[in-house]
Amino acid sequence: MELQKSLLHNIGQCLSAASETVAIAESVTAGFLQFSFSQIHDASTVFKGGLTVYDKSQKKELMKLGQSHNSDRDLVSGEIAEEMALKISEIFDTDWGIGITGYSQPSEISDFKTFAYFSFAYKGEIILTKILELHPRTESVNAQLYYTEFLLGCLKCELNKIAMQSHSFTGHG
C-alpha cells in the first residue's frame, strides 16, 4: 500500500485554507499517521505534532487516559479514542485532534480480532468516532497502513463537511 500523496495534499490544502492545525495521538498505527502528516507540503504550518502511546501505561501516564476506568484491561475503546483526540488537541493547542487505538494483529485480549477505534475532535468537540475491523489474517503492517489511509480518507470528508458548513454560514457557496 502506497501513501496517497494527493489525499495528503488535499488535507494540507483544506487545513491551510482554514488556517487550522492538527495533532495526533496514536497507538495502533505506531507513528504512521504522524509520518503521513509530515509528508504534507509545508507540514509545519498545519501539523503541530503528536504522541505515539503504544502501551497502556503510556496512555495512562503521558496522556492521563482511562482515569475513570477501573479495569486493568488495555485501553482500547471508542471512548479512549475520543479521550485521545481531545487530549492531544489540548496538549498541542490545535483545532483538530486525532486519536486512534486498537490492534494490528489478533491476540487473546482482542478476542482474536483485528480492529481499531479512531476519533476526531474539532474545536474541543468530538465530531466522529468509528471502529474499523479487518480480517484477522491481515498482516500487522498492512493493518497499520490500512488504518492510516482509511482515517486520512475520513478526515478529508470531515474537512469537506466543515468547509461546506462555513461557506453556507458566510453566504458563499
Side-chain angles (χ1 to χ4, degrees):
M1 190 178 298
E2 189 176 310
L3 200 56
Q4 289 189 11
K5 292 178 182 157
S6 64
L7 178 59
L8 290 169
H9 177 76
N10 288 336
I11 289 170
Q13 281 186 318
C14 285
L15 289 168
S16 186
S19 297
E20 293 179 345
T21 55
V22 65
I24 298 162
E26 58 188 312
S27 177
V28 66
T29 45
F32 277 136
L33 273 171
Q34 292 173 77
F35 170 79
S36 297
F37 273 86
S38 77
Q39 300 305 298
I40 292 172
H41 179 70
D42 288 332
S44 63
T45 63
V46 296
F47 174 50
K48 283 198 173 180
L51 291 172
T52 301
V53 286
Y54 206 68
D55 75 357
K56 175 178 60 178
S57 66
Q58 296 307 309
K59 288 176 187 172
K60 284 185 172 190
E61 291 173 32
L62 291 176
M63 296 199 65
K64 310 294 185 221
L65 301 175
Q67 302 298 317
S68 62
H69 303 278
N70 294 327
S71 169
D72 200 36
R73 291 183 57 83
D74 78 348
L75 300 169
V76 175
S77 68
E79 184 179 80
I80 292 297
E82 290 175 354
E83 284 184 48
M84 291 171 77
L86 289 166
K87 187 69 170 179
I88 202 69
S89 180
E90 178 186 316
I91 290 169
F92 282 88
D93 189 28
T94 58
D95 302 287
W96 291 86
I98 298 172
I100 184 168
T101 185
Y103 301 94
S104 61
Q105 56 192 355
S107 68
E108 190 173 331
I109 199 158
S110 73
D111 293 325
F112 300 98
K113 295 178 181 173
T114 304
F115 61 91
Y117 291 95
F118 67 91
S119 188
F120 300 148
Y122 180 63
K123 299 193 181 210
E125 299 288 328
I126 296 299
I127 62 167
L128 180 72
T129 302
K130 285 191 175 273
I131 185 171
L132 179 58
E133 298 181 62
L134 300 179
H135 192 282
R137 290 195 182 135
T138 305
E139 287 186 43
S140 182
V141 69
N142 289 336
Q144 292 170 313
L145 289 168
Y146 187 81
Y147 293 151
T148 298
E149 197 162 277
F150 187 86
L151 189 150
L152 290 170
C154 289
L155 178 61
K156 176 64 174 116
C157 289
E158 293 303 313
L159 286 164
N160 287 343
K161 283 182 196 174
I162 299 289
M164 294 296 277
Q165 288 171 353
S166 321
H167 286 297
S168 60
F169 288 137
T170 59
H172 299 97

